[in-house]
Amino acid sequence: MKAQRVDIFVCPSATPADTSGLQALADAGKLKPETLVALVGKTEGTGAHDDWGRVWADVALREWTAKFLGIPVGEVAKHVIFVLSGGCPGVITPHIAAVTREWVELPAAHQEGVKRLVVGRSGSDAIAPEEVGRMGQISKVAEATHKAMADGGLTDPKDVHLVMVKVPGLTTASIADAESRGKTVVSHDLTFGPEGAGAYANDAAALGVAMALGEVPEAKLSDDVVRRDWDLYSEVAMTSSGGEKRHGEVVVFGNSTSSASALQIGHSVTRDFIDADGVRKALRSAGIRFNDGVPDESDLSRLVHVFAKSVIPGSDQVRGHRITLLDDADAYQIGKALGGMLVASVTGRTTNYVSGGERNSHQGPPGGNIVAAVVRND
């Protein structure tokens, strides 16, 4: 019986255009053109819709991938999914995580009933500017999520622990295009603020995941609920957006008994910015052992990677005490930095994928954030 064997390799980046880590993996035979599924990472820069660091990294990685696969740059998106999140404030290390998948025969020693990591990928149909942040985007992301699950051999939403999505954001040019055709857009604010187009794009994508996994019934979804009804959310969606995108790109991570991987994924949600126990629950879910509430140091070496959101709460209260973050002009970057420090304080490493900075989100329950961990269980 053929089964997936998935691996993840994390390469710190010296610059946004640094592909040396990927090339070293290729030279060592750990990356092969037929096994590369996705490149997921954090890039230095502003984190804004037109982030120079993310765009630079995207161009460099697509050029490297095209050469590696031996195909034109324009064909890369058909073979490899790119999910790049800009901005690395605080203790977040710029890095690229290469996700690989190959099909192998299940070994004779395979343990029946044991679930290990599988991945699935898919691209959405083109998302028009007038669909960003609205039902058009929600529906297209939901459809792509279903396709990615099928690609990964996942049928039960409970086996899905992380859905990473990169979708188009709005730009001055795309807004002008929509309006030249008599269409409206969700916002003219190009930031990730409360009414920013970036936040609308991210949240519509999250609701698309929630719709696909049955976390939110389709009947409850409409243009009007995006960034308005915070009772609607996904516990496994991590989304980001950028003006360089035209299609949605989806990578689904889950566990399956039909897997020959040595890796396992788990997830949890935090209550707030200071909920270290929420991070520990994600590590436990993936198989890390703990000693007196602290991850066992020898066991922690099996941790492969952590993916987390860091969303600013809509309230100026954390556990009953007033905070001034919402009044800070740099709240977007501070929000990411706080999430990066929280995860690093538990994992003891800085190469964690921490995306966020928005105020409130449909990615996780109100005030909470999503954390997913991948652990090696050889």
Side-chain angles (χ1 to χ4, degrees):
M1 174 182 174
K2 291 287 186 180
Q4 288 191 41
R5 183 164 64 199
V6 178
D7 217 331
I8 297 177
F9 304 93
V10 180
C11 307
S13 304
T15 70
D18 182 13
T19 59
S20 61
L22 296 174
Q23 188 60 51
L25 290 170
D27 292 342
K30 294 181 178 179
L31 288 188
K32 301 174 184 177
E34 66 273 18
T35 66
L36 184 59
V37 172
L39 295 176
V40 179
K42 291 293 300 179
T43 62
E44 57 199 283
T46 65
H49 72 284
D50 57 349
D51 185 340
W52 61 267
R54 188 185 64 247
V55 175
W56 184 15
D58 188 87
V59 170
L61 288 168
R62 287 183 191 277
E63 289 180 348
W64 180 89
T65 304
K67 183 178 179 181
F68 181 55
L69 299 184
I71 60 175
V73 172
E75 297 292 309
V76 167
K78 297 179 181 179
H79 301 271
V80 179
I81 299 295
F82 285 64
V83 181
L84 303 179
S85 171
C88 292
V91 295
I92 301 173
T93 293
H95 67 273
I96 298 296
V99 182
T100 66
R101 176 180 69 177
E102 59 183 323
W103 297 92
V104 300
E105 290 290 340
L106 275 177
H110 177 71
Q111 293 177 274
E112 292 290 336
V114 175
K115 294 183 178 181
R116 290 290 185 262
L117 182 63
V118 293
V119 299
R121 63 186 175 187
S122 179
S124 78
D125 291 337
I127 298 173
E130 59 268 24
E131 294 178 313
V132 170
R134 293 170 170 165
M135 277 303 299
Q137 186 180 51
I138 291 172
S139 298
K140 288 180 177 179
V141 170
E143 182 181 4
T145 302
H146 280 304
K147 290 180 179 178
M149 286 180 64
D151 183 61
L154 292 162
T155 57
D156 188 345
K158 293 180 181 178
D159 288 327
V160 176
H161 292 271
L162 173 64
V163 182
M164 304 199 76
V165 186
K166 188 78 180 187
V167 291
L170 292 178
T171 64
T172 300
S174 66
I175 291 173
D177 168 62
E179 294 180 339
S180 72
R181 294 182 283 106
K183 305 294 184 180
T184 64
V185 294
V186 70
S187 175
H188 284 75
D189 177 352
L190 298 182
T191 72
F192 287 89
E195 296 299 320
Y200 274 99
N202 291 357
D203 278 347
L207 289 174
V209 173
M211 176 175 142
L213 300 183
E215 295 174 290
V216 175
E218 183 177 359
K220 289 189 175 182
L221 294 171
S222 68
D223 291 352
D224 295 336
V225 304
V226 183
R227 296 201 56 76
R228 293 292 180 270
D229 188 343
W230 301 115
D231 290 330
L232 308 178
Y233 58 85
S234 171
E235 287 196 357
V236 295
M238 287 189 193
T239 69
S240 59
S241 57
E244 73 277 11
K245 295 288 184 181
R246 294 295 176 268
H247 300 74
E249 298 184 60
V250 179
V251 187
V252 170
F253 297 77
N255 293 320
S256 171
T257 55
S258 299
S259 170
S261 304
L263 307 184
Q264 181 178 346
I265 188 169
H267 81 279
S268 185
V269 293
T270 61
R271 292 171 53 195
D272 48 41
F273 275 128
I274 58 176
D275 185 14
D277 191 50
V279 180
R280 289 192 286 267
K281 286 178 180 177
L283 300 186
R284 288 191 186 97
S285 174
I288 292 290
R289 293 184 293 272
F290 282 72
N291 182 16
D292 296 327
V294 178
D296 184 89
E297 285 298 324
S298 61
D299 209 38
L300 199 55
S301 65
R302 297 190 296 110
L303 180 62
V304 175
H305 204 33
V306 172
F307 303 88
K309 284 300 297 186
S310 183
V311 175
I312 301 170
S315 166
D316 67 349
Q317 301 279 318
V318 172
R319 303 195 188 185
H321 296 279
R322 186 176 73 90
I323 58 171
T324 62
L325 176 61
L326 299 187
D327 299 321
D328 198 302
D330 294 323
Y332 176 65
Q333 294 289 12
I334 293 171
K336 287 186 182 179
L338 288 172
M341 287 185 283
L342 175 63
V343 176
S345 70
V346 177
T347 64
R349 64 180 68 181
T350 61
T351 49
N352 304 302
Y353 178 99
V354 182
S355 170
E358 309 99 311
R359 184 185 301 182
N360 274 336
S361 177
H362 297 291
Q363 301 169 75
N369 288 290
I370 305 158
V371 183
V374 177
V375 170
R376 190 171 299 279
N377 287 305
D378 294 294

